[in-house]
Amino acid sequence: MPRKLFEGIIDQQQGWLDPIGEAVGNAVIRAKIAGGDRATQVLDWLHGVWLGHPLHPAITDVPVGAWTAAFAMDAIDGVAPTSSLRRCADWAIALGVCAGVGAAASGIADWHHLGGHNRRLGLLHGLLNLGALALYTMALALRLGDRRSLGAKLSMLSYALTSFSAYLGGELVYGAGIGVDHTAWQKPPRDFVPVLPEAELEENKPRRVYADSAPILLVRRHGHIHALSETCTHLGGPLADGRLADEGITCPWHGSLFALDDGRVVHGPATFGETSYDVRIKDGQIEVRPSAWTQY
């Protein structure tokens, strides 16, 4: 029930959320174009390509954890006041504020690829987090000054805002599948299966085939046949409709670039690599199976 209620409320706000989302999204795109290769490297880092896992959910644990510790210490201090506990709470809030800046940057990098309801949901999640970050910054200044009591109350309000925003972030991941590997539920065969007559695979023309129920990408380049999962791990784009490049194949939806030889991510926004397949020719048929290191 809460999920359906929130979905309806959020979509009713599109009159003001969509213009903000368009302005912010266009600003990110302009910065990416202006920054060229350097911007691509920065975005790859913010997406978490280097980590092999989305950076945003990992880094958000730092401010949420720090602010939760500060909340607990403030609660204890209210019962048994100690100066050392108050200092620890202040340091925890400061740590959360610093980490919150990184969480915001990685969140914007991931968010600007979304559309429709998920874009609105992500934008509201981000705005609430930015609001909480601003409130925590104000609370910290008050706590370090001569208005500690007001700062502690503002910290409590900030934590409530952060908690609600975290709920919306969970809805993005667990409800909408944002940030998950979109090939995780596919079940490739465990042994070689025929997928296509060899004569039907043209040079440098990506082809979608199926190994049992799993969609597979076949590409013949320089006489060698490459096979990867055909679904982009980022948001499920069709790699068979993508563009071949020297480094591999680019997803047509958001530009993730995967190496043909082993499925690794060359450039984001994808962070999970594609399943790589062994290929053999038998009786004129192309047969594939997951490579040994990707089998499970």
Side-chain angles (χ1 to χ4, degrees):
M1 181 65 71
R3 179 183 180 190
K4 293 296 183 182
L5 177 63
F6 286 133
E7 284 181 354
I9 292 174
I10 289 170
D11 285 339
Q12 289 172 9
Q13 311 307 311
Q14 66 184 84
W16 65 274
L17 282 175
D18 286 356
I20 295 175
E22 183 176 359
V24 176
N26 288 340
V28 174
I29 292 172
R30 286 195 297 269
K32 182 164 58 175
I33 294 173
D37 291 341
R38 179 59 60 86
T40 298
Q41 294 171 5
V42 171
L43 286 172
D44 280 353
W45 197 91
L46 290 174
H47 288 310
V49 173
W50 59 276
L51 188 60
H53 179 285
L55 176 62
H56 182 65
I59 199 172
T60 55
D61 285 351
V62 180
V64 172
W67 291 336
T68 299
F71 180 87
M73 286 184 280
D74 279 346
I76 296 172
D77 184 64
V79 178
T82 61
S83 60
S84 60
L85 199 62
R86 289 193 291 272
R87 285 196 300 272
C88 287
D90 292 345
W91 277 108
I93 289 175
L95 173 62
V97 168
C98 293
V101 175
S106 61
I108 291 172
D110 291 345
W111 165 84
H112 86 279
H113 295 291
L114 304 182
H117 172 78
N118 292 335
R119 188 178 183 88
R120 296 183 201 108
L121 178 59
L123 178 60
L124 183 58
H125 168 70
L127 290 174
L128 290 174
N129 278 338
L130 288 175
L133 182 62
L135 288 176
Y136 265 119
T137 303
M138 293 170 56
L140 183 61
L142 291 170
R143 295 165 71 105
L144 296 177
D146 57 0
R147 306 186 68 183
R148 182 171 191 87
S149 178
L150 179 59
K153 291 182 176 64
L154 192 57
S155 299
M156 297 290 182
L157 175 61
S158 305
Y159 188 71
L161 195 61
T162 299
S163 299
F164 177 63
S165 181
Y167 172 86
L168 298 182
E171 176 62 24
L172 277 169
V173 175
Y174 300 110
I178 305 301
V180 304
D181 181 350
H182 280 251
T183 67
W185 49 85
Q186 296 178 0
K187 299 298 181 184
R190 293 184 177 275
D191 205 350
F192 281 107
V193 295
V195 292
L196 187 75
E198 182 189 9
E200 295 184 16
L201 184 62
E202 302 178 36
E203 182 81 6
N204 292 323
K205 186 174 181 180
R207 179 75 179 262
R208 180 190 301 109
V209 296
Y210 290 88
D212 293 342
S213 60
I216 308 297
L217 172 73
L218 293 181
V219 177
R220 188 197 295 270
R221 299 195 81 177
H222 309 299
H224 182 73
I225 298 175
H226 302 274
L228 305 173
S229 294
E230 193 270 340
T231 303
C232 179
T233 59
H234 176 228
L235 286 176
L239 292 184
D241 296 336
R243 177 177 55 84
L244 290 175
D246 291 340
E247 303 93 335
I249 189 161
T250 301
C251 176
W253 284 8
H254 304 110
S256 296
L257 179 60
F258 301 94
L260 288 174
D261 56 351
D262 60 4
R264 72 186 182 279
V265 179
V266 179
H267 290 301
T271 56
F272 299 105
E274 297 289 344
T275 299
S276 176
Y277 286 78
D278 296 328
V279 179
R280 74 179 185 186
I281 309 299
K282 185 176 181 180
D283 299 327
Q285 294 284 326
I286 299 174
E287 297 187 348
V288 300
R289 72 174 179 189
S291 298
W293 68 275
T294 61
Q295 291 189 35
Y296 55 91

